[in-house]
Amino acid sequence: MEKFSLYKQASEQWQKAADFFELDRDVRTVLSEPKNEISINFPVRMDNHELRLFRGHRIQHNNILGPFKGGIRFHPMVNHDEVKALAVWMTFKCALVGVPFGGAKGGVTVDPRELSSGELMRLTRRFTHALGSNIGPEYDIPAPDAGTNAKTMAIIMDTFMNAQNTANRNAQRHVVTGKTLTVGGSLGREKATGQGVVYTLQSWAQENKVDLSKCTFSVQGYGNVGFHSANILESLGAKMIAVQDHTGSIYNPNGISTEDLKNFNLSGNPIIEYQESEVIAEHEFFALPVDIMIPAALEGQINESNADAIKAKVIVEGANGPTTSKAEEILLHKGITILPDLLANSGGVTVSYFEWAQNKTSSQWPLEEVDRKLKIIMDQAYAQTSHIAKDMKTDLRTASYIVALKRLSYAYQERGIFP
Ligand code: NAD
């Protein structure tokens, strides 16, 4: 059997849209492989004084629309193929929402839960140092992803600044986004991806006359994206009835408090020990009769093994690549709407852009302004995607790629391909 490649899946998705759009052959050629692929083996001194070698990647797919941009993931399954796919998705995501960035992604193959805070700090610093000038505030700007957070970004920023031999190194805070507020983060960045997930759902609900306050939902992955999506959706009156994370799945038909579960989890308890719900099997989680399903963990989670059982009316992709191509076929055949990752989780990179712009002008926007500007961008991206889907009689994922491809190809047309 052919080995599964996430990069192949990402490539097939945009190539399908390119066929629809009759994309210029030269642009297709340029986009067909990343510009730069950096893989690094780097040593870290562990608490027991042993030296361990870790492997990390930074893949820069395209920068025709602006500096490379994309998260850094710490996860045991991180590999070159996965990071390549995630970098491709960033190019199209930034182009779809129209923020002036290209696409990149990074990752280290490590389980951050198994490292002490000191080990994690040394790993982050050593990886950043090894990346050297391959990242930079006007060149390639990392952000948090699975297994990393605002604190990781503060450490990357600090390491980068300390390695610069220039007088203005303190003016380079925008080398990363998604930082803690104290070191130059933006209000609203932490919840931004979840906020964008909900703005996308609201646009869909308005268009399809669905009352979100009467909806039930399930969430897979209860980290940054999963929690904030759930928490904001709950504030609109919807009811979370099931959650799944890497420890297992829980269910309560009467509703689970998003905040209470988060506090329980943050205190170091696995969600499966939460008293206000019952533990269910993984296959039962996917088969629940919910209105909305939010995959917000990792790629490939909705696949041939569970797609048939899914009863949700709409799947809103908080995670990147949570639905395999085969599962997508099954779901679309069943009439289930998929609000694709490119669109639904683009709130994160959009507010990352706001943070970058604030850092460059030494300003701090109020939360209301961040949310208002985010909503304008998300609503526009939804409207364009939905319009193309109807106009070209295609699915929303393909439509989102077409919107992105139009921007990318116009930029190449206007600039030409060097030399
Ligand atoms: P996170 O590390 O904060 O949370 C990940 C969650 O997924 C955890 O709750 C973990 O328990 C769960 N998980 C891991 N493996 C699982 C499994 N096999 N089954 C079920 N649950 C599992 O990560 P995050 O930042 O919330 O990112 C989640 C997804 O969203 C990723 O695909 C990421 O690329 C995407 N994303 C994140 C952002 C962002 O701003 N953080 C932006 C856009 C997209």
Side-chain angles (χ1 to χ4, degrees):
M1 207 168 79
E2 197 189 344
K3 199 172 158 233
F4 175 75
S5 160
L6 195 66
Y7 179 65
K8 188 163 174 273
Q9 178 179 320
S11 301
E12 283 170 359
Q13 285 176 351
W14 76 257
Q15 300 265 4
K16 179 180 169 193
D19 291 343
F20 248 97
F21 176 50
E22 295 180 7
L23 180 70
D24 175 81
R25 213 167 56 181
D26 288 350
V27 178
R28 197 190 279 252
T29 304
V30 174
L31 292 174
S32 66
E33 287 295 338
K35 270 194 152 176
N36 306 309
E37 301 180 37
I38 304 146
S39 291
I40 300 163
N41 296 309
F42 60 98
V44 178
R45 184 73 64 192
M46 308 308 281
D47 288 348
N48 65 4
H49 303 294
E50 265 177 33
L51 203 62
R52 223 176 112 187
L53 212 53
F54 290 88
R55 189 165 177 74
H57 310 272
R58 184 71 183 170
I59 299 193
Q60 298 160 334
H61 177 249
N62 187 274
N63 60 351
I64 188 77
L65 295 176
F68 296 112
K69 183 91 188 84
I72 290 192
R73 178 177 288 193
F74 288 174
H75 191 273
M77 300 304 285
V78 162
N79 60 74
H80 188 264
D81 177 84
E82 176 193 64
V83 181
K84 234 170 125 176
L86 292 163
V88 169
W89 280 323
M90 284 308 295
T91 296
F92 289 97
K93 194 178 301 180
C94 294
L96 168 65
V97 286
V99 294
F101 289 134
K105 202 79 178 192
V108 176
T109 314
V110 59
D111 187 345
R113 290 190 192 90
E114 283 178 359
L115 265 54
S116 71
S117 58
E119 288 170 337
L120 211 49
M121 159 86 88
R122 293 194 288 281
L123 177 138
T124 307
R125 286 207 188 281
R126 194 64 171 78
F127 181 52
T128 308
H129 193 265
L131 284 171
S133 57
N134 289 301
I135 57 169
E138 309 294 336
Y139 177 62
D140 183 358
I141 305 128
D145 194 80
T148 57
N149 54 32
K151 217 174 145 208
T152 323
M153 295 306 118
I155 296 167
I156 294 178
M157 181 195 83
D158 184 72
T159 311
F160 179 84
M161 281 179 173
N162 275 293
Q164 300 298 301
N165 193 18
T166 56
N168 77 339
R169 61 185 182 189
N170 277 319
Q172 303 191 346
R173 292 186 301 174
H174 51 310
V175 63
V176 282
T177 57
K179 304 179 281 289
T180 56
L181 279 178
T182 335
V183 306
S186 173
L187 289 164
R189 173 60 184 92
E190 203 191 307
K191 69 167 177 123
T193 309
Q195 183 69 69
V197 163
V198 176
Y199 283 152
T200 307
L201 258 177
Q202 285 180 300
S203 293
W204 169 82
Q206 195 179 19
E207 192 176 50
N208 293 281
K209 303 194 173 31
V210 173
D211 182 354
L212 288 178
S213 73
K214 297 202 165 59
C215 287
T216 56
F217 66 94
S218 61
V219 188
Q220 189 205 36
Y222 211 59
N224 176 293
V225 181
F227 165 68
H228 286 292
S229 303
N231 188 244
I232 299 167
L233 197 50
E234 180 188 54
S235 74
L236 300 179
K239 191 160 70 177
M240 176 167 85
I241 63 164
V243 183
Q244 181 183 85
D245 77 357
H246 69 287
T247 62
S249 311
I250 56 171
Y251 171 60
N252 182 344
N254 298 317
I256 298 169
S257 157
T258 60
E259 200 81 48
D260 202 38
L261 179 65
K262 183 68 188 170
N263 291 336
F264 178 79
N265 199 213
L266 275 181
S267 316
N269 306 301
I271 64 160
I272 46 168
E273 286 176 14
Y274 188 61
Q275 292 297 306
E276 312 299 319
S277 56
E278 58 172 298
V279 173
I280 55 170
E282 187 184 328
H283 68 272
E284 291 177 294
F285 171 84
F286 286 99
L288 288 171
V290 288
D291 299 304
I292 303 162
M293 177 180 275
I294 310 174
L298 296 171
E299 54 269 10
Q301 297 295 310
I302 299 178
N303 50 47
E304 277 175 287
S305 76
N306 52 36
D308 252 334
I310 292 178
K311 298 187 184 72
K313 293 186 187 67
V314 60
I315 294 173
V316 52
E317 295 183 335
N320 284 305
T323 313
T324 65
S325 307
K326 292 236 167 75
E328 177 149 22
E329 258 175 55
I330 298 170
L331 295 167
L332 293 180
H333 186 71
K334 285 171 66 162
I336 296 175
T337 300
I338 303 172
L339 298 172
D341 47 6
L342 226 55
L343 172 70
N345 72 30
S346 59
V349 74
T350 303
V351 178
S352 271
Y353 164 58
F354 297 165
E355 179 177 329
W356 188 72
Q358 289 171 75
N359 288 165
K360 275 162 80 86
T361 51
S362 296
S363 53
Q364 176 99 76
W365 304 350
L367 179 61
E368 296 70 29
E369 189 176 345
V370 170
D371 283 348
R372 185 179 58 79
K373 287 188 155 122
L374 174 63
K375 187 167 188 319
I376 292 171
I377 290 181
M378 300 292 307
D379 286 358
Q380 195 175 25
Y382 181 89
Q384 288 172 335
T385 303
S386 171
H387 172 75
I388 296 269
K390 285 182 190 131
D391 200 44
M392 298 182 89
K393 296 191 176 37
T394 186
D395 58 276
L396 288 165
R397 190 183 310 283
T398 307
S400 68
Y401 278 100
I402 293 174
V403 177
L405 274 172
K406 280 191 180 183
R407 275 210 181 97
L408 286 160
S409 63
Y410 294 159
Y412 276 108
Q413 267 172 31
E414 286 159 23
R415 287 176 58 161
I417 295 172
F418 187 78

